[in-house]
Amino acid sequence: MGLTINPAYTQYMNKENKPKIRGDDDVYMYWFMAFLSFLIVFPLSRILKKAGYSQWLSLAAIIPIVPLIILWVLAFSKWPAISDRHK
C-alpha cells in the first residue's frame, strides 16, 4: 500500500516525489524585488533633491500607495528649491 499524492500538489514535488524546498526560488524573487525597488528609489531621490526635499523620503516609495501620495504632494506643493531662488 503506497502513499497517494493529490495531483494538485505535484507542482510542489521534485522528481523523487519529495517536497520542494521553497527557498530555492525565493532568492531570485528577492533580488528581483530589490532591483525594482532600486529602479524606483534612485530616480525619486534625485528628483526630491532637485526639488529641495530630503532624499530619504524616497525610501518611503517602497511602501505601496506611498509613491502616489508623494507624486500628488510634489505636484501641488511649492518646492523649496524654487522658492529659494526667488528670494
Side-chain angles (χ1 to χ4, degrees):
M1 177 183 227
L3 179 66
T4 59
I5 299 172
N6 186 342
Y9 294 109
T10 56
Q11 64 181 343
Y12 301 112
M13 302 296 209
N14 60 16
K15 293 178 183 176
E16 293 84 27
N17 282 334
K18 294 181 180 174
K20 287 183 183 176
I21 298 173
R22 181 164 168 79
D24 295 343
D25 297 331
D26 287 349
V27 173
Y28 299 113
M29 180 193 64
Y30 291 133
W31 279 107
F32 181 70
M33 294 302 290
F35 177 71
L36 286 180
S37 297
F38 176 77
L39 286 180
I40 294 170
V41 169
F42 182 71
L44 184 59
S45 70
R46 304 285 297 190
I47 292 169
L48 289 170
K49 181 181 177 183
K50 289 179 182 180
Y53 291 101
S54 173
Q55 292 177 327
W56 292 103
L57 185 60
S58 64
L59 290 177
I62 296 173
I63 303 168
I65 305 298
V66 174
L68 277 174
I69 295 169
I70 293 173
L71 181 67
W72 279 85
V73 168
L74 286 175
F76 295 106
S77 66
K78 294 188 183 222
W79 291 8
I82 293 177
S83 63
D84 289 345
R85 276 192 233 160
H86 294 298
K87 288 183 179 179

